[in-house]
Every structure is written in C-alpha cells, then in structure tokens.
Amino acid sequence: VLKHLRHLNFTNNMGEQVDFDEFGDLVGNYSIINWHLSPEDGSVVFEEVGHYNVYAKKGERLFINENKILWSGFSKEVPFSNCSRDCLPGTRKGIIEGEPTCCFECVDCPDGEYSDETDASACDKCPEDYWSNENHTSCIPKQIEFLSWTEPFGIALTLFAVLGIFLTSFVLGVFTKFRNTPIVKATNRELSYLLLFSLLCCFSSSLFFIGEPQNWTCRLRQPAFGISFVLCISCILVKTNRVLLVFEAKIPTSLHRKWWGLNLQFLLVFLCTFVQIVICVIWLYTAPPSSYRNHELEDEIIFITCHEGSLMALGFLIGYTCLLAAICFFFAFKSRKLPENFNEAKFITFSMLIFFIVWISFIPAYASTYGKFVSAVEVIAILAASFGLLACIFFNKVYIILFKPSRNTIEEVRCSTAAHAFKVAARATLRRSNVSRKRSNSLGGSTGSTPSSSISSKSNHEDPFPLPASAERQRQQQRGCKQKVSFGSGTVTLSLSFEEPQKNAMANRNAKRRNSLEAQNSDDSLMRHRALLPLQ
C-alpha cells in the first residue's frame, strides 16, 4: 500500500486535492476541532481551536489556542488519562499484579542503587567504592574510616604514647646521671639501660598502628611490637634469674661469676629475642600482612585495615611473649623475699600480673571488634603493658634516687644484704632447734634451745657514757645499721657495723671509750653473722 500511496493523488467529494508525499504522508491542511457541550440543550458543538498547515515553515505548522479548549465538555484542567502517575528520579516502575502494563506503582530504589530519569524501569547499581545518596538519584563516594591521627581517639592514643616515650627517656636520663650510685649498680645497670631502650621501642611501636594503613606499616607494626616486648621481658628474666641464682648459691664461686657475667647475660637476651625474630621473618616470608579495603562490614563505609596474613603467626608471636612473661613471673615470685636493693622481684611480679591481665583481656576484645577499633584495642594493650612495666620496675627507684638520697647509700645495700643472710641463717637454726627439740622430747631429754638464745646479736651491755641524740644518729649513719628480724617466737635485732675511715675523730675520752665498746659488740655480731652464713 505504501508504494502506491507515494504516487496517489485524487480529489475528494468536497472538491479538495489530496496528495501523498514520498514518505507516504498526507499532504494537506487540517483543522483541529474540540467538542463542546452546549449549555442550552447539552448537544455537541464543534469548536475549531487550531489548525495544522503542512506548507508552513517548520515549527509553525501547528497552532492551538489552548484557551478555547474544554475538557470533558466544560473543564479547563487537563484530565489525568493514565492509571498511574510518572515515577520520579530515585524510583522505578513496579508491576501491579492483575493490572495492565500501563498501570504500575513507583518503588524506591534500594540502598546502593540509583535512577536519574523519570519512569525508569530499573535502578542502576553504584560502583564498588560508591554508595547511593539519600534520594537515590546519584552515587557518592563511600566514607573511608581508619584510626586517624586527627580524630580525638587517635590524638589521645598518640599523646599517651608520647608521654610514655618522655617518661622512659626521663628515667633513662636519671639512671645515666646517677649511674655510679648503689641503687643503679645493684639493679644491673647495663641491663637496665637495655630494658629502658626496649620500653622506648614498645611505646614507639604503638604509633605504627595509627594513621592510614599502608603495606609497609602493616608489615612493620606487628614485628616491631613483638620484638620490643620480647627484648623487654628477656632483660627482666635475665636480671631476676641471675640474682636468684647468686643468692641461692651456697658459696658464690668464680664459676658463678663467670657463668653469670655480663657477656653471657647479653647473649641470653639476644637468644630469647632471636627466637621472636625468626618467627617474624617466617611470618613475613610466608604470609606477609598487607593493607586491605573492607567493604563487607558496613555498606556505606570502607574500612581500611591490615590483613594480618596469618592469624597463626600472630598467635605464635603473642604466645611466645606470654611464655617468657610466665617464666619471668615464676622467677620473680620465687625471689620475692630477696633484698629489694638487689632485686625488685615484688615489683616485677606486679608488672607481670598487669602484663597477663592486659593480654588476656586483649584476646576477646581483639576478636569481637572490627574496623579501626581493632588497631585501637592493640594500641591500648601495648600502652597499658608498657606503662605497667615502666611504673612497677623503675618509678620506685627514681623516687629513691631523687627524693630519698639517704637510702641510696652503700650502707643501706650492705644492711639489706646482711639482713637477708641473717634471716636465712636464723631460719636454718630455728629448723635445727625444732628438730633437736623433737628428738629430745622423743628421748625424754631436755628441750632444745630457742632461737632467742641461740641467735641473738643485740648487746646486753648498758652504755655508761650516753651520747646526745643528734650525735647518736650521726654515729649510726657513719658506722652501721640495725635490722629487726621477726619470727613466730619473737624478734631478733641485728646490729651491723662496717669499717669506714673516720674523717672527724672524736676527741672526747668518753666517746672513744663508747666507740671501743660498740666496736667490740659489733665484732661479736659480725662473728655470729659469719658463723651462721654456712647454715644456708
């Protein structure tokens, strides 16, 4: 038909020429008629409201006078002729069951999808790093989260780490300045320096957990933390074990001194630390940690974290550290009654308890958190354990060095050591006397001697020439000390004197006589003390 229409022309019954163009379209003019209802009798009236002229210029062919148009015979408002309205951007057309396809409902696009056109039949999914906006009309970049330097939590952790570095540096400076004092020497000065250096590394390693994770920071932070803590605990372990073995030896020989020399101590620290280094090297070689963008935890947030590569390797790293801490705790608890000038066993025990509490609570906290809070939990654990070690081991010594210099003397160290030896000897004598008393009771003999009769170093001589109180205190500070040892059956007073050169000799005859009497009593006490030492 189209082929014949292109060549067809005729005259209609109204005398008008009808032609078709090459496209088969009718060439002619049209009148646009609107049906009106007559207000008089309700009949239909045909009203011309416009025309269409095919011979006019393009854009001017159609003319409609909208003011003359009446809808439904009387209304000026265009009626809604569809069963559903248009769907706005952010929504899509949804099929209504049992209705024609032209009837639909507008359904909001789900999260992560968008539509930017009207009457969209489907919503488009946003790219991986993007998320739909509130109206679902476009996609916006996802929020990126990590433990940042600028957020309040990150700033607080950074300040605590810097505070730990400052306090450790201050303690190291105090120990360096007073390195020749008895307190510093008695705490194994060289290992104390290494211990403070390892604490500096512990506080510094916590800073690698703050900031946007990169591949190099992920591979550095766990080994730095593990090696620093093992170095720290190895120093404490060697210090404690050395003093314990020396004090438990019956007679310290040159073999003990050679065996526990400074070079061997550093060798043991190196060997303990080397095991941790091997664990870290194997970890980094087989399954190195890397930066990871996690899209699964929350839809609209990307968490940048470190993928540890191997949780088993992390478990070995922390487990080996805790094993050394347990051994250190055992030796510290065993040597808790040694002279505190030589061994801070009581404080080491507390520090190890704090260490265990921190890392035992770390495991469930680490497993139950996600995102940036994983790094925050580990930073808190590192800082808490480091502060516990620093405070328990060093703050008491710094307090004595700076505010109690009278206790930082060789006499105090000697008195503490001699008192410990006297206590051990007294306990041994007490055990022997109890055994003898039981044997004598079983044989019907007399009871054994009591500790107060067999161990007594307090002179019964009254001083015929008393000195003033101030002179007496000065004399005691110059010549010796007194220690009281308490047992279940009473209290024994131990008086010790040390041969020190007297700069200001007493010119008074009565004072000379008093000094000679006290020297005799002190010599008797020292002889008793030396006689009791083999009883250990």
Side-chain angles (χ1 to χ4, degrees):
V1 175
L2 182 60
K3 177 180 178 181
H4 295 285
L5 285 178
R6 292 173 180 170
H7 307 287
L8 180 63
N9 57 78
F10 62 92
T11 302
N12 60 11
N13 54 4
M14 297 177 62
E16 295 177 348
Q17 182 71 25
V18 179
D19 297 320
F20 293 90
D21 59 13
E22 60 182 350
F23 299 104
D25 296 327
L26 183 63
V27 178
N29 298 328
Y30 300 88
S31 296
I32 300 174
I33 305 299
N34 184 213
W35 290 16
H36 291 185
L37 292 177
S38 174
E40 299 176 356
D41 53 3
S43 60
V44 177
V45 178
F46 299 102
E47 182 73 23
E48 185 178 348
V49 295
H51 62 269
Y52 179 81
N53 185 5
V54 295
Y55 301 105
K57 295 181 180 179
K58 193 173 182 179
E60 298 179 358
R61 295 175 181 177
L62 177 63
F63 171 76
I64 297 177
N65 187 358
E66 296 183 359
N67 294 327
K68 292 183 178 182
I69 298 176
L70 294 179
W71 298 98
S72 300
F74 55 86
S75 176
K76 292 282 188 182
E77 184 179 354
V78 179
F80 182 72
S81 59
N82 294 334
C83 62
S84 299
R85 295 185 178 274
D86 296 337
C87 291
L88 300 176
T91 61
R92 65 173 177 83
K93 294 190 295 184
I95 299 175
I96 302 176
E97 188 175 356
E99 296 289 339
T101 55
C102 61
C103 296
F104 51 84
E105 61 179 351
C106 296
V107 181
D108 292 333
C109 292
D111 293 335
E113 298 182 5
Y114 75 101
S115 66
D116 55 358
E117 59 184 11
T118 305
D119 284 340
S121 58
C123 297
D124 298 323
K125 192 173 183 179
C126 292
E128 186 179 17
D129 292 342
Y130 289 81
W131 195 250
S132 57
N133 60 358
E134 185 177 359
N135 297 325
H136 299 279
T137 56
S138 62
C139 292
I140 57 176
K142 288 184 179 180
Q143 182 182 353
I144 297 177
E145 279 199 5
F146 53 86
L147 189 58
S148 174
W149 298 96
T150 56
E151 64 177 291
F153 198 25
I155 293 174
L157 294 176
T158 303
L159 290 178
F160 276 108
V162 173
L163 176 63
I165 294 173
F166 171 76
L167 291 177
T168 307
S169 302
F170 174 75
V171 174
L172 182 59
V174 171
F175 268 57
T176 304
K177 182 177 180 180
F178 297 92
R179 59 185 176 276
N180 294 322
T181 58
I183 288 291
V184 178
K185 288 182 177 180
T187 55
N188 203 331
R189 178 174 53 192
E190 290 76 11
L191 277 182
S192 295
Y193 292 156
L194 186 59
L195 176 57
L196 288 170
F197 170 75
S198 65
L199 284 175
L200 280 175
C201 295
C202 290
F203 283 113
S204 301
S205 67
S206 64
L207 298 176
F208 289 111
F209 292 83
I210 306 175
E212 182 176 355
Q214 305 290 337
N215 286 334
W216 69 273
T217 56
C218 292
R219 294 171 185 174
L220 180 62
R221 64 182 192 174
Q222 297 290 4
F225 137 72
I227 295 173
S228 300
F229 266 101
V230 166
L231 178 61
C232 176
I233 296 176
S234 300
C235 294
I236 300 173
L237 176 61
V238 172
K239 285 177 59 177
T240 308
N241 196 21
R242 172 181 176 271
V243 176
L244 178 64
L245 292 181
V246 168
F247 270 88
E248 284 190 347
K250 304 298 181 183
I251 301 177
T253 62
S254 60
L255 180 62
H256 288 88
R257 290 190 293 269
K258 181 180 180 180
W259 180 251
W260 282 106
L262 189 60
N263 293 334
L264 183 59
Q265 295 176 45
F266 282 110
L267 178 61
L268 291 176
V269 171
F270 170 75
L271 290 178
C272 293
T273 309
F274 182 74
V275 175
Q276 187 78 306
I277 295 175
V278 171
I279 294 175
C280 294
V281 170
I282 295 175
W283 182 9
L284 294 178
Y285 181 76
T286 56
S290 59
S291 178
Y292 173 65
R293 299 170 70 91
N294 195 332
H295 300 266
E296 300 175 356
L297 296 177
E298 293 189 18
D299 295 328
E300 67 275 11
I301 299 176
I302 300 176
F303 291 99
I304 303 180
T305 58
C306 283
H307 186 268
E308 302 300 346
S310 173
L311 291 178
M312 182 180 294
L314 179 62
F316 274 114
L317 184 140
I318 298 178
Y320 178 69
T321 306
C322 292
L323 175 63
L324 288 182
I327 299 173
C328 185
F329 174 79
F330 170 76
F331 284 115
F333 183 79
K334 191 175 181 180
S335 60
R336 66 191 183 279
K337 295 182 180 180
L338 295 183
E340 61 181 13
N341 297 75
F342 279 88
N343 185 31
E344 57 277 49
K346 178 172 61 177
F347 300 105
I348 292 177
T349 304
F350 284 131
S351 66
M352 291 299 104
L353 285 176
I354 294 174
F355 184 89
F356 281 124
I357 292 173
V358 167
W359 289 107
I360 289 175
S361 60
F362 162 78
I363 295 174
Y366 184 86
S368 60
T369 55
Y370 63 91
K372 64 180 181 181
F373 299 105
V374 175
S375 299
V377 166
E378 193 160 357
V379 172
I380 292 173
I382 293 173
L383 293 179
S386 302
F387 274 113
L389 294 172
L390 179 64
C392 292
I393 297 176
F394 290 103
F395 280 5
N396 181 55
K397 296 177 180 56
V398 172
Y399 174 76
I400 293 175
I401 293 172
L402 297 180
F403 302 103
K404 297 289 183 180
S406 60
R407 294 177 57 186
N408 191 14
T409 58
I410 191 63
E411 288 81 6
E412 284 287 331
V413 177
R414 287 176 178 175
C415 287
S416 178
T417 309
H420 171 73
F422 182 78
K423 290 179 183 179
V424 174
R427 291 191 182 95
T429 305
L430 181 61
R431 287 194 297 269
R432 293 181 60 187
S433 64
N434 290 335
V435 172
S436 300
R437 183 165 49 198
K438 290 179 181 179
R439 289 178 180 177
S440 60
N441 289 337
S442 63
L443 297 175
S446 59
T447 59
S449 59
T450 61
S452 60
S453 61
S454 62
I455 306 173
S456 177
S457 60
K458 182 176 180 180
S459 177
N460 294 325
H461 298 284
E462 296 293 336
D463 192 356
F465 303 101
L467 291 177
S470 60
E472 176 68 18
R473 287 192 299 269
Q474 182 179 3
R475 184 191 62 79
Q476 289 182 1
Q477 292 177 358
Q478 292 176 352
R479 293 186 57 81
C481 62
K482 287 187 177 183
Q483 294 283 343
K484 288 186 177 182
V485 184
S486 298
F487 298 96
S489 58
T491 302
V492 180
T493 303
L494 170 66
S495 299
L496 298 174
S497 298
F498 306 102
E499 297 178 0
E500 299 288 346
Q502 299 290 337
K503 294 182 180 180
N504 299 321
M506 300 292 290
N508 192 296
R509 182 179 179 181
N510 294 335
K512 287 182 179 180
R513 185 175 180 181
R514 174 186 177 89
N515 290 338
S516 63
L517 290 174
E518 290 188 351
Q520 182 179 357
N521 294 335
S522 299
D523 291 339
D524 294 339
S525 300
L526 285 174
M527 291 299 293
R528 293 188 185 96
H529 168 63
R530 291 169 182 169
L532 291 173
L533 282 178
L535 297 179
Q536 300 179 61

